[in-house]
Amino acid sequence: MTEIQLIEVKSEIGAGTRGASMGVDAIKVAALNKHSRFFSRNRSIEIPTENQLLLEDVETPWAKRIKGLSKIYERICEETCKTLQAGKVPIILAGDHSTAGGTIAGIKKAYPNKRLGAVWIDAHADLHSPYTTPSGNIHGMPVATALGMDNLGHKVRDIEGETLTEWEKLKSTGGMSPKMLPEDLVFVALRDYEEEEEALIEKEDIRVIEVDEVRKIGAAATVEKIMHLLAPADIIYISFDVDSLDKNISLGTGTPVEDGLEVDEAKDIIKGLLAHPKAIAFEIVEVNPTLDNKGNKMAEIAFEILKEASNVVMNKQ
């Protein structure tokens, strides 16, 4: 059996809507309500956050609270690396998606000579940089940090000072940049992104599997296609943003989008990917119980996926 290590990152400084820091505890409440002992059987390591910065003025408007996020990147990087080096599979439960760049940095630090593939199950591309972002919210930038891309060909502003210094620090977390190649990235359920991101996807020929295709070919064939596309990769990381699900399921996330995945579709894709020998890390992000229009429904769904995904990992030989 394979041992998992839960890593909690209750950070929300990269989001534009408050409440994602409560997502991990909402998932735990869902587990309690189901009388599950999952969290007593699987103890978590909690990464210190910088959420106190939410009470302070924003000094870097095109990369909000980036100095705090640099610290969190380093902490996640070290813990993820240590977990992998100990022979365990890290399962990260995070607030907003900005911290995923730290997870990727930790994977690459643990396996510097291995080619890393990523499956980004998300309504959004998260390919912005401070040069292109319309909002300055860094949860729209983690993929760009992993790819080491500024997208200067479509920049809408110049950046300097602390923004530039800390942005370069984010990209180089773990001691190398880039962490992965565009051809080793697959988006699933992508459907809401800006023209600057679209231009980068087209320029780099980044693969996208839309919801309609998932529905047409089914979850099993989707997994098979993803693994074929990522065949050159040595190891694979899966990041699951709950806004990849259809907004009618629950509004319990900061940026819900219609026409998303159904729960069973997401669950079957994730389980299928994690059953593969190359899959070495999994992440769930962006549960926000303060926005949920159906009680704690999004967290309940996230826990269901977490529990089943963890069982798949633990039963791997």
Side-chain angles (χ1 to χ4, degrees):
M1 289 184 66
T2 302
E3 189 174 354
I4 66 170
Q5 176 60 66
L6 300 181
I7 300 175
E8 298 179 13
V9 191
K10 299 177 182 178
S11 175
E12 61 172 274
I13 61 172
T17 305
R18 303 281 66 83
S21 63
M22 303 178 188
V24 177
D25 286 333
I27 293 172
K28 290 183 176 181
V29 168
L32 288 171
N33 287 341
K34 290 180 179 294
H35 307 289
S36 171
R37 297 181 60 195
F38 179 85
F39 286 99
S40 61
R41 292 193 180 107
N42 302 287
R43 297 293 183 177
S44 300
I45 294 171
E46 188 166 345
I47 303 295
T49 72
E50 297 291 321
N51 287 338
Q52 75 279 357
L53 295 176
L54 295 168
L55 305 175
E56 301 178 10
D57 292 337
V58 173
E59 297 178 349
T60 52
W62 300 116
K64 296 173 184 175
R65 308 175 189 91
I66 191 170
K67 194 169 184 178
L69 195 60
S70 292
K71 296 177 183 178
I72 297 172
Y73 260 48
E74 292 289 347
R75 295 167 190 161
I76 300 170
C77 175
E78 291 304 315
E79 198 59 57
T80 302
C81 177
K82 186 169 65 175
T83 296
L84 289 166
Q85 290 178 336
K88 302 177 184 179
V89 172
I91 295 182
I92 298 93
L93 308 178
D96 75 65
H97 215 166
S98 64
T99 60
T103 303
I104 295 170
I107 295 170
K108 194 62 179 175
K109 185 173 182 178
Y111 299 111
N113 299 317
K114 289 187 180 292
R115 187 166 169 175
L116 173 60
V119 185
W120 204 259
I121 308 173
D122 195 331
H124 307 93
D126 297 341
L127 276 169
H128 276 296
S129 74
Y131 296 96
T132 67
T133 175
S135 67
N137 297 324
I138 306 181
H139 71 164
M141 307 184 195
V143 179
T145 70
L147 295 173
M149 288 186 172
D150 301 325
N151 199 9
L152 295 179
H154 292 83
K155 72 176 182 178
V156 297
R157 70 184 64 84
D158 292 316
I159 62 171
E160 58 185 9
E162 186 174 73
T163 299
L164 179 58
T165 300
E166 296 298 330
W167 176 245
E168 293 299 322
K169 190 183 295 184
L170 282 191
K171 291 189 295 181
S172 61
T173 304
M176 67 177 69
S177 180
K179 312 294 190 302
M180 56 189 231
L181 303 171
E183 55 263 40
D184 294 330
L185 170 65
V186 177
F187 286 114
V188 178
L190 181 65
R191 58 196 187 278
D192 185 18
Y193 47 96
E194 284 74 42
E195 61 183 41
E196 295 87 359
E197 295 176 297
E198 184 177 15
L200 195 57
I201 290 169
E202 291 179 357
K203 176 177 178 287
E204 301 294 340
D205 194 25
I206 298 173
R207 277 69 69 92
V208 177
I209 300 177
E210 297 179 345
V211 173
D212 285 348
E213 183 174 0
V214 172
R215 208 143 289 158
K216 181 179 179 180
I217 68 175
T222 299
V223 171
E224 186 177 343
K225 179 173 181 176
I226 292 168
M227 297 312 302
H228 175 73
L229 292 172
L230 296 180
D234 301 309
I235 52 176
I236 292 173
Y237 147 81
I238 301 104
S239 190
F240 171 62
D241 186 323
V242 296
D243 72 24
S244 62
L245 300 172
D246 191 87
K247 66 183 290 186
N248 291 325
I249 293 169
S250 166
L251 294 178
T253 187
T255 49
V257 183
E258 61 187 7
D259 299 324
L261 295 171
E262 296 296 330
V263 174
D264 285 345
E265 291 170 333
K267 188 189 301 181
D268 289 345
I269 291 169
I270 290 165
K271 289 164 60 179
L273 292 169
L274 287 172
H276 198 279
K278 290 184 179 181
I280 52 92
F282 176 55
E283 189 160 45
I284 299 178
V285 303
E286 295 281 3
V287 173
N288 188 334
T290 69
L291 302 174
D292 207 319
N293 64 331
K294 297 181 180 179
N296 199 33
K297 185 65 176 178
M298 188 65 89
E300 291 171 356
I301 292 167
F303 173 64
E304 185 180 331
I305 291 172
L306 168 65
K307 183 177 64 173
E308 294 193 26
S310 298
N311 285 339
V312 169
V313 174
M314 288 187 287
N315 287 317
K316 285 168 69 170
Q317 298 300 318

